Amino acid sequence: EIAYETPVETNNSKPTARQETEEIKNTEPAAKPDVPKRDISLYFMYIDSTGNLIRKETNRQIAATDSPLTATIQALLGGTNTEEESKGYISLIPDGTVLLSATVKNKVAYLNFNDSFQWNKYGVEGYFGQLIQIVYTATTFSTVDSVQFLIEGMKQDYIGSEGVWIGSPLSRASFK
């Protein structure tokens, strides 16, 4: 577990009892150890020294749930953690993106996102990056071979002004 500490302003005086208590509270584990956990793989992006966009897999533990695909995609939408950021990993999924629903039928994950998903400020490479992150993350599940993207419940042929194709299910092979 990662401990997040609240910075305490230094004024060369001894910390108050309240500040000491806050520091202790902020270093305790966020989740109780008796909560069942599940190992997941998430994909983020990395920009190498020549400017190439490279996908990077990272592993995390999340609370076990009856909807593991939904929980995993939501973890991906939450972005990188401190350890991943220290490795230079970034998420190209647009801010404000929300997973509205997720279903799997015939090895196709139908992932329904809100409108924010279709507006990537990084242009065509940003769109490809966000699609790669989601397709690679979703297809870590043996029940998923490809992803059909939906925006506000509707199938669209393209996202973005650059017209990146999402009109049919996308698999890992779509990005080779």
Side-chain angles (χ1 to χ4, degrees):
E1 298 289 357
I2 295 174
Y4 296 97
E5 295 187 24
T6 307
V8 177
E9 288 185 33
T10 55
N11 57 8
N12 295 332
S13 65
K14 189 175 177 182
T16 65
R18 182 174 168 267
Q19 287 171 325
E20 287 177 354
T21 303
E22 284 177 4
E23 286 182 28
I24 291 168
K25 284 181 186 172
N26 289 332
T27 58
E28 292 175 2
K32 295 178 182 171
D34 59 344
V35 174
K37 296 283 189 186
R38 167 186 197 91
D39 290 323
I40 61 168
S41 292
L42 302 177
Y43 283 84
F44 291 105
M45 303 308 288
Y46 175 81
I47 300 170
D48 71 10
S49 60
T50 60
N52 292 318
L53 207 51
I54 300 167
R55 74 174 179 276
K56 292 287 189 174
E57 181 178 12
T58 187
N59 297 300
R60 286 197 199 161
Q61 280 199 330
I62 61 171
T65 171
D66 291 340
S67 306
L69 176 62
T70 298
T72 299
I73 298 298
Q74 288 172 334
L76 180 67
L77 296 179
T80 54
N81 64 26
T82 307
E83 180 185 346
E84 294 152 357
E85 287 171 13
S86 73
K87 295 177 182 177
Y89 297 1
I90 59 171
S91 178
L92 293 177
I93 298 169
D95 291 339
T97 296
V98 175
L99 179 66
L100 301 175
S101 64
T103 57
V104 178
K105 184 177 180 184
N106 299 324
K107 296 202 123 197
V108 177
Y110 293 84
L111 301 180
N112 180 22
F113 294 97
N114 68 339
D115 188 60
S116 296
F117 183 77
Q118 65 181 335
W119 308 112
N120 195 303
K121 65 183 177 185
Y122 299 109
V124 69
E125 285 191 5
Y127 286 111
F128 281 115
Q130 80 187 59
L131 297 175
I132 287 168
Q133 284 183 248
I134 291 169
V135 168
Y136 272 77
T137 297
T139 56
T140 60
F141 290 88
S142 61
T143 55
V144 178
D145 286 340
S146 61
V147 174
Q148 176 63 66
F149 290 92
L150 305 171
I151 308 293
E152 300 286 347
M154 305 296 292
K155 189 171 121 178
Q156 292 182 197
D157 288 338
Y158 300 96
I159 57 171
S161 57
E162 287 85 358
V164 176
W165 177 257
I166 60 165
S168 60
L170 301 177
S171 67
R172 289 183 176 201
S174 304
F175 302 102
K176 302 270 184 223

